[in-house]
Amino acid sequence: AVNPVSINENYATGELTPDRGTGITNLTASRGQAFNITYCTNSPATKHEISRDNGSTYTDITSSVSTTGTSAYRYQHSAVSNVNSYNMAIRVTNASGNTSVRRFVVTFS
């Protein structure tokens, strides 16, 4: 069966400049500067969560995510200066309660 909601690998990116088609990938962000994470789903997501510990704990970021159309999203992560990297995970949930998770590493330089 096809998952009713999934982060679409063709339209998701962890790049600082969106490059649709690469999927959520590891990225390098400048230490002390905010950075964007953009992604799309195959159906509208009603809840967005982010983890900085590879999915062990999540924070609801729904109110901080901007939406373009019905399934393209952008989250601006605050500046980070006290760690070298995060093992990130993004989890989305649709109206039926189905979830999808993608993991990636952000390294700060």
Side-chain angles (χ1 to χ4, degrees):
V2 175
N3 189 346
V5 62
S6 66
I7 297 173
N8 189 330
E9 288 297 330
N10 293 325
Y11 296 102
T13 181
E15 306 295 345
L16 296 175
T17 303
D19 178 10
R20 294 180 182 266
T22 62
I24 292 180
T25 59
N26 296 339
L27 67 116
T28 300
S30 296
R31 187 178 300 278
Q33 293 185 9
F35 60 96
N36 292 326
I37 300 171
T38 60
Y39 54 98
C40 293
T41 57
N42 64 341
S43 68
T46 57
K47 185 176 184 180
H48 303 261
E49 298 168 285
I50 197 162
S51 170
R52 293 169 190 89
D53 58 12
N54 205 33
S56 293
T57 58
Y58 284 92
T59 300
D60 188 336
I61 59 168
T62 304
S63 63
S64 300
V65 172
S66 60
T67 305
T68 303
T70 59
S71 59
Y73 309 100
R74 181 175 64 88
Y75 172 68
Q76 184 175 46
H77 195 287
S78 59
V80 175
S81 59
N82 60 342
V83 297
N84 292 325
S85 65
Y86 280 142
N87 291 315
M88 304 282 288
I90 291 179
R91 179 169 63 191
V92 296
T93 307
N94 71 2
S96 299
N98 300 298
T99 62
S100 181
V101 175
R102 290 293 183 269
R103 290 178 172 79
F104 56 100
V105 177
V106 178
T107 303
F108 301 100
S109 61

